[in-house]
Amino acid sequence: GAARIVELPATETREEAYEQAGRCVVEQSDVLIAVWDGQAAQGQGGTADIVAWARDRGAPVFWISTVPPFAVTEWLGNGINLSTFQHIDRFNREVKV
């Protein structure tokens, strides 16, 4: 089960709810990993809007493009506390059998 549930206030429209949820994700995250085609948002709160909002806040963003050549773009924003990711790096470097 979930360790924590966040219930956001009601919104007038579905688009406002998407925007509110996206901003909540950014506010609660150390890094935003966006899997995105790089196109403009198709509505309020779309991926483009949330990526732009995260960048404006100085949040680190890793953008994985969904179109060839599937590049990864990094915007480090105000920086990343690398100690946060040491356990992930150790896990990824372990030899898997």
Side-chain angles (χ1 to χ4, degrees):
R4 187 173 133 216
I5 297 172
V6 176
E7 188 171 328
L8 301 174
T11 60
E12 294 287 322
T13 67
R14 179 180 221 138
E15 288 79 16
E16 288 173 330
Y18 282 126
E19 183 175 50
Q20 187 180 70
R23 287 182 177 205
C24 182
V25 167
V26 171
E27 290 171 350
Q28 300 297 315
S29 301
D30 294 315
V31 173
L32 177 66
I33 300 173
V35 181
W36 169 45
D37 62 9
Q39 299 297 310
Q42 294 181 6
Q44 179 183 357
T47 305
D49 290 346
I50 301 308
V51 168
W53 191 76
R55 291 186 66 198
D56 289 346
R57 287 179 50 89
V61 176
F62 289 81
W63 164 31
I64 303 168
S65 177
T66 60
V67 295
F70 309 107
V72 176
T73 303
E74 303 170 4
W75 294 293
L76 298 182
N78 295 333
I80 297 174
N81 179 353
L82 295 179
S83 65
T84 304
F85 302 99
Q86 287 177 341
H87 65 284
I88 296 170
D89 186 52
R90 278 193 303 275
F91 176 81
N92 286 335
R93 292 176 188 275
E94 288 179 7
V95 176
K96 310 294 189 273
V97 180

